Amino acid sequence: MADAFYLIMYPLAYLGIMLIMRGEVRSFKANNWLDGAIAGLGAAAICAAFVFDTIVNSVSGSPAAVAVNLAYPVGDLILLAFAVGALVIVPGWPVRLVTLAAGCLVLAIGDTVYLFQNANDSYQSGTILDASWMTALFLLSLTVWQRVGARRSDDDAHAPGFVLPAVAGVSAVTIIFVGNWMHISSVALGLTVATLALVGVRAGLSRGELNALTRANHHHAVTDELTGLGNRRLLTRELDAIFATPRDSWRPDESLALLMIDLDHFKEINDSFGHPTGDGLLRLIGPRLSSVTRSSDVVVRLGGDEFAVLLTGADVDFAMAIAERITTEIEPPFDVEGSCLHVGASIGIALAPQHAGDATELMRCADVAMYRAKAAHSPYDIYESALDDGADRLNLMEDLRAAIADQALTVYYQPQVDLRSGEVTTLEALLRWSHPVLGFIPPDQFIPLAEESGLMWSLTTFVLETAIAQCAEWRRGGRPVAVAVNLSTTNLLDSGLPGQIHAALDRHGLGPDALVLEITESTVMADLARCKEIIQTLSDSGLVISIDDFGTGFSSLAYLSDLAVGELKIDRMFTARLSIDGVDGRNEAIIRSSIELGHSLGLRVVAEGVERSDHFGFLATAGCDVAQGYAISFPAPPEELDFAAIDDRAAPMLPAAHRLPATLDR
Ligand code: C2E
Ligand code: CA
Ligand code: CA
């Protein structure tokens, strides 16, 4: 009877261990549980191999007595397996489990010693052996009190986690080995084989895990975190693999095209809507790019707002078709957190093997083409070696440096006509560079180059000096005109600028009314706080500051009322669209409200890019103050400008009501 009560402790103890494990282990990991099973089975195998046989052989008596006496060592073996297994499975050696395992160990030792003594009748009650059971029970009861989650160490990577299963595995192999000389019981052999089988399964799982980890690492290394597209490393890797075959042995269908895509106005969006919105927008670009490419093409984000598409088996026509589709695809507005955002893209196309023989070269070519597309405001451009070969950007920079030093640049002037009087009031100074080899290079292309190579100061100094001198000459000739000079961001942020300007004006005996300074919206937005201060200084000294290309930036209109500017130049894009939409379209509304906005802030409003004479009438009636464009005059060198002819051309274009009586005119 008593034995039945003793024995029932075993299943209850197993259950207890399981419950403790369930409380301690939060997530199920097959590997972890396998480790536990291996360690547990291994421990059982060791005990069975070296002690169990002796115990079994020492048991004798009636079948019932043998069964009962054997139940103890078997129960202990299983208990030991459970306790060791649990120690492995639960991370960080929780105090409860350590206490429990210690209890089990003491119990097993006590039982074993008892069985030995009982077999040779040497057991006596009242020895230290009896204390072992008491100690075991005490330890087991202690586990009930201990707090769930209490850890001996917080280290979740718990090194012992693999030490115990490893020891078990090694022991299992040792047992098999020892079996050559020594008899090993079938129970021990069974446990050993089971341990080794589990070690095998575990190794298989680890391999799978390792492979998955390697794949994940690889994926991570070539993925752009923000967009989930490939990154620059992926592109270089793909290109390097392709260029590993020498160029001359490429089949025609192996040619490839690299499209370098740079978003327009992204910086403005980022500055005015904030980085989270910018990031949100970038995330939306990928799907649109992927929607026009084949699954075999590689779409990557190179960083910032730059993306690239690698088309394999593509010729120039295919690349152009894809570039066009990308442009159309990017056009519809993006909905980012409720904001409706428009971006454009400038795409540079380079082809291999035609343009380049390696990855770096191909990427550089695509970059050059992209840069040209951006400068020309065209959606895409194809790399042209004539424009790059030898005259690569570095050489071009050197040529520009020399041109500035030799004063080989010329300044053209484009008149602006007052829409009430029909007279030329101001002339915008526009730089021209005629390169000795490459011919005419538009300012849109060399101005950024000057910016990059630190030539902006000398370039602007040259324009200012030339334009002011020219203005003085016109005034001496009886034309009360002013000149307008374009400033870049670097110029505006240069604290020496105001002094420099006034010195030049003084030298030519001119007042501040002779000069207008044009700055673009994006220039101002680059550093609003500082620009605001500088603009204030310039304007306090009597100079007129004009906001150029108004309407193309994404800046909020709020900045306008904050800046001491005197003029607004409506971008030529809106005027150009008048010709497309006709005067009744939405562009008319944009122009009208820009004029109204400008006037309500007390600004003079200039419309630039006026190409058609009939738009003069519209602009004049809409209240616009000044117009500039091919319809009046192309930019021209001063000696070619005929003011009288311009007056004659402008007057009839104005609506009759606007023409002042001739007597008042002069
Ligand atoms: P911008 O300041 O907007 O200059 C006006 C541009 O529009 C000029 O191009 C002018 O030739 C062109 N334009 C004038 N009337 C019409 C027209 O009726 N229709 C069309 N479609 N275009 C017209 P340009 O001379 O090629 O200059 C391009 C840009 O280069 C300028 O744009 C300005 O941002 C920059 N730039 C030119 N000279 C200088 C300079 O001395 N310094 C700085 N910082 N930038 C300059
Ligand atoms: Ca301008
Ligand atoms: Ca402009």
Side-chain angles (χ1 to χ4, degrees), residues 428 486 518 520 548-550 569-572 608:
E428 180 177 2
N486 293 286
E518 296 193 1
T520 61
D548 201 355
D549 302 347
F550 178 74
K569 279 184 96 171
I570 302 173
D571 190 69
R572 56 182 187 267
E608 63 173 357

Side-chain angles (χ1 to χ4, degrees), residues 129-352:
L129 181 60
D130 290 346
S132 73
W133 289 307
M134 289 320 215
T135 313
L137 289 177
F138 175 69
L139 287 172
L140 291 180
S141 352
L142 255 189
T143 61
V144 180
W145 285 348
Q146 270 145 3
R147 208 156 41 84
V148 181
R151 294 266 188 288
R152 291 261 316 279
S153 83
D154 269 344
D155 184 12
D156 252 13
H158 64 116
F162 74 85
V163 169
L164 286 181
V167 169
V170 172
S171 311
V173 174
T174 316
I175 292 171
I176 301 264
F177 196 63
V178 169
N180 281 324
W181 299 285
M182 213 177 105
H183 169 76
I184 303 278
S185 75
S186 48
V187 174
L189 263 184
L191 286 169
T192 308
V193 169
T195 309
L196 287 177
L198 285 187
V199 168
V201 175
R202 173 73 169 88
L205 271 185
S206 298
R207 241 193 82 151
E209 215 172 50
L210 211 64
N211 283 345
L213 206 68
T214 315
R215 270 197 303 276
N217 265 345
H218 173 79
H219 180 74
H220 189 72
V222 298
T223 305
D224 172 57
E225 237 172 84
L226 179 67
T227 57
L229 297 172
N231 59 14
R232 187 181 284 274
R233 199 176 293 133
L234 177 71
L235 181 64
T236 336
R237 208 175 274 185
E238 295 279 330
L239 284 174
D240 284 343
I242 294 170
F243 283 111
T245 330
R247 251 210 284 187
D248 1 301
S249 53
W250 282 19
R251 289 195 315 271
D253 63 318
E254 281 177 329
S255 64
L256 54 100
L258 180 64
L259 275 61
M260 203 76 102
I261 304 156
D262 189 272
L263 301 184
D264 302 333
H265 310 303
F266 179 75
K267 193 182 163 344
E268 283 97 327
I269 291 181
N270 228 0
D271 289 348
S272 14
F273 290 86
H275 287 273
T277 308
D279 286 352
L281 175 65
L282 290 177
R283 265 185 229 113
L284 295 177
I285 300 284
R288 294 213 189 167
L289 291 181
S290 306
S291 73
V292 299
T293 50
R294 304 159 299 181
S295 56
S296 58
D297 299 329
V298 182
V299 180
V300 302
R301 173 168 169 254
L302 298 171
D305 59 345
E306 254 190 60
F307 294 81
V309 174
L310 175 64
L311 306 169
T312 42
D315 58 3
V316 71
D317 292 329
F318 184 71
M320 273 167 30
I322 295 289
E324 256 154 42
R325 285 178 61 189
I326 290 175
T327 312
T328 339
E329 196 62 31
I330 296 280
E331 207 157 272
F334 291 84
D335 181 7
V336 186
E337 291 161 8
S339 307
C340 175
L341 304 173
H342 287 268
V343 280
S346 304
I347 305 173
I349 303 174
L351 302 155

Side-chain angles (χ1 to χ4, degrees), residues 349-385:
I349 303 174
L351 302 155
Q354 294 97 304
H355 297 147
D358 63 43
T360 324
E361 179 66 7
L362 186 67
M363 281 164 82
R364 194 190 67 86
C365 292
D367 208 44
V368 169
M370 188 268 289
Y371 174 79
R372 291 212 317 147
K374 190 159 260 244
H377 298 292
S378 58
Y380 64 88
D381 205 334
I382 299 159
Y383 176 77
E384 251 177 76
S385 52

Side-chain angles (χ1 to χ4, degrees), residues 414 428-432 440 442-444 447 456 459-460 463 485-488 491 518 520 548-549 569 571-572 608-611 628-631 633 635:
Q414 188 176 34
E428 180 177 2
L430 294 162
L431 257 183
R432 293 292 176 261
F440 176 76
D444 283 329
I447 300 273
M456 218 43 223
L459 190 138
T460 306
V463 180
V485 170
N486 293 286
L487 295 184
S488 77
N491 295 141
E518 296 193 1
T520 61
D548 201 355
D549 302 347
K569 279 184 96 171
D571 190 69
R572 56 182 187 267
E608 63 173 357
V610 184
E611 291 182 2
Q628 173 185 356
Y630 295 162
S633 169

Side-chain angles (χ1 to χ4, degrees), residues 37 170 172 178 190 200 278 299 354 374 461 493-494 496 498 514 534 579 605 638 660:
V170 172
V178 169
V299 180
Q354 294 97 304
K374 190 159 260 244
T461 305
L493 296 180
D494 172 8
I534 296 167
S579 324
V605 180
L660 296 173

